[in-house]
Amino acid sequence: MDVESGKPSRTGGTTRFRGTALRLAVPAGVLAAVAGAFAYVGSVDPYEPGHYPVCPLLRFTGVYCPGCGGLRSAHAFVHGDLTAALHANAPAVLAYLSFAVLWTVWVVRAARGRPVRVDLGPVHLWTLGTLLLVFTVVRNLPFGGWLLP
């Protein structure tokens, strides 16, 4: 029986299962890539010199960019040290958590056969950019030393 129409199904449940599996293939691949990246950063300590490249902006200007400390933040996050992760790069931790929420919504909608739409308008993008700019400026000022990685 087809669950949606209530009519007998000629193909059984295999077609429906195959369709769901195909819709979940891309989210599963994205999760595998992200999990692999986090596993690598979790196993290769960014505090050890020589494992990762140095931020070019920091190297040539001495200014911390919004991404500085992101690898240290990911390393601490993988090891469950949320305080150290927030200290290394708070916006990165927010990005990790946002990714988890968006990925979960993506999987649920894909399993149900519905498209995923994330409509960020200009106001959202300008707000995000402004917040990152303010974070960058404050972390490079003398009173923003608590934001340094």
Side-chain angles (χ1 to χ4, degrees):
M1 280 294 257
D2 185 25
V3 176
E4 292 177 4
S5 67
K7 298 178 184 175
S9 174
R10 294 183 184 181
T11 60
T14 59
T15 303
R16 185 178 177 115
F17 174 75
R18 190 174 299 139
T20 302
L22 286 174
R23 287 192 304 267
L24 293 176
V26 174
V30 168
L31 181 63
V34 170
F38 269 90
Y40 180 77
V41 172
S43 64
V44 179
D45 191 0
Y47 290 100
E48 295 288 325
H51 292 293
Y52 299 102
V54 178
C55 173
L57 184 66
L58 180 62
R59 182 179 191 144
F60 295 120
T61 66
V63 174
Y64 290 97
C65 76
C68 283
L71 289 172
R72 287 173 281 216
S73 175
H75 182 78
F77 192 81
V78 167
H79 290 279
D81 191 354
L82 189 59
T83 305
L86 285 168
H87 177 71
N89 193 323
V93 174
L94 294 175
Y96 310 149
L97 299 175
S98 297
F99 171 79
V101 169
L102 289 174
W103 184 86
T104 303
V105 169
W106 183 17
V107 167
V108 169
R109 291 190 62 86
R112 294 179 180 172
R114 296 184 178 151
V116 177
R117 295 190 61 137
V118 178
D119 291 327
L120 294 177
V123 172
H124 298 105
L125 296 174
W126 278 102
T127 302
L128 182 62
T130 302
L131 289 172
L132 285 175
L133 180 64
V134 168
F135 171 74
T136 303
V137 170
V138 169
R139 81 185 316 197
N140 285 289
L141 292 175
F143 63 85
W146 57 278
L147 292 172
L148 294 178

